Amino acid sequence: QSALTQPASVSGSPGQSITISCTGTSSDVGGYNHVSWYQQYPGKAPKLMIYEVSDRPSGVSNRFSGSKSGNTASLTISGLQAEDEADYYCNSYTRSYIYVFGTGTKVTVL
Amino acid sequence: QVQLVQSGAEVKTPGASVKVSCKASGYTVTSYHMHWVRQAPGQGLEWMGIIKGSGGRTVYAQKFQGRVTMTTDTSTNTVYMELSSLRSEDTAVYYCGRELDAAYYFDCWGQGTAVTVSS
């Protein structure tokens, strides 16, 4: 199972919006609405930010939103803040209890 | 509150095995699935496999089949991941993460266990 493809880095100024893409195939991202997104600070465990493509867990800022079109899922961070500077990973269910992560994207706040 | 606490860092020689524990508190391990994910230095997250909460069925990523074993000890509410025939490329931080049945996401993670494989 190949990793989902994400841009290595995305940057934006405070207050701007950025979007991170996550491209897979019809066997993973395109085949299921089971896409989730995780935020990870250096040396820390990942944190769930979005699940089922666009649902947000309790406690996660509504500045984070998710969507999907075909084989590509996207995470949008609006009103970018310094605390959003972190690594972001998408994850998708594939089949038979097998999952795959994206390659990861480093978000930089300029 | 819900918490996953993992065992401490390990240093192993090539060819050895390592067994990492993930002790759950605030819930019963049999009511959730547990996934294992690893992250090599400077690299991304890599899904290793799942042990189902009910029944203990396991599914492993093809890359690790034959080398990884995931088990549950219900008496201590702990899940284990054992990786054998270690090589330098297995040097990574290993995380456990739980999933409610049919939720398809990982809502709580352990703090990570660093495993170093070096001669």
Side-chain angles (χ1 to χ4, degrees):
Chain A
Q1 184 70 42
S2 298
L4 308 174
T5 301
Q6 298 181 231
S9 62
V10 173
S11 61
S13 300
Q16 286 187 328
S17 292
I18 62 169
T19 297
I20 302 167
S21 61
C22 169
T23 301
T25 69
S26 58
S27 295
D28 38 64
V29 175
Y32 305 92
N33 285 326
H34 305 319
V35 176
S36 53
W37 289 89
Y38 301 86
Q39 176 191 64
Q40 186 183 36
Y41 293 113
K44 300 297 185 181
K47 174 188 174 184
L48 176 68
M49 303 302 283
I50 294 287
Y51 64 97
E52 292 296 276
V53 174
S54 59
D55 290 339
R56 207 170 36 249
S58 171
V60 171
S61 171
N62 59 9
R63 297 185 298 104
F64 291 84
S65 62
S67 63
K68 191 185 86 166
S69 178
N71 295 338
T72 298
S74 298
L75 174 71
T76 297
I77 309 175
S78 58
L80 198 61
Q81 299 180 1
E83 67 202 49
D84 300 331
E85 187 160 295
D87 294 325
Y88 292 83
Y89 294 90
C90 60
N91 178 275
S92 177
Y93 178 78
T94 64
R95 69 193 188 286
S96 303
Y97 294 100
I98 295 174
Y99 293 74
V100 62
F101 278 98
T103 50
T105 298
K106 180 177 179 61
V107 168
T108 301
V109 181
L110 302 171
Chain B
Q1 73 283 17
V2 173
Q3 200 172 4
L4 298 174
V5 178
Q6 298 184 223
S7 48
E10 302 262 13
V11 178
K12 297 291 182 181
T13 54
S17 297
V18 68
K19 192 170 186 177
V20 179
S21 67
C22 173
K23 183 173 177 58
S25 59
Y27 78 101
T28 304
V29 289
T30 53
S31 58
Y32 282 77
H33 306 325
M34 193 72 80
H35 296 255
W36 289 89
V37 174
R38 78 176 187 179
Q39 186 170 39
Q43 303 301 308
L45 302 174
E46 180 175 30
W47 183 82
M48 297 180 68
I50 175 179
I51 180 165
K52 294 186 68 178
S54 179
R57 179 193 168 192
T58 54
V59 177
Y60 304 134
Q62 186 172 10
K63 176 177 180 176
F64 301 102
Q65 284 181 6
R67 284 208 303 144
V68 69
T69 304
M70 298 176 188
T71 56
T72 300
D73 183 344
T74 56
S75 67
T76 59
N77 218 34
T78 302
V79 179
Y80 296 89
M81 186 283 299
E82 183 170 22
L83 189 62
S84 62
S85 301
L86 290 170
R87 33 206 188 232
S88 59
E89 309 90 87
D90 295 317
T91 293
V93 175
Y94 291 76
Y95 294 99
C96 58
R98 77 167 194 175
E99 175 207 351
L100 182 64
D101 186 33
Y104 305 103
Y105 58 86
F106 320 129
D107 69 337
C108 182
W109 295 71
Q111 84 277 18
T113 296
V115 175
T116 302
V117 183
S118 174
S119 54

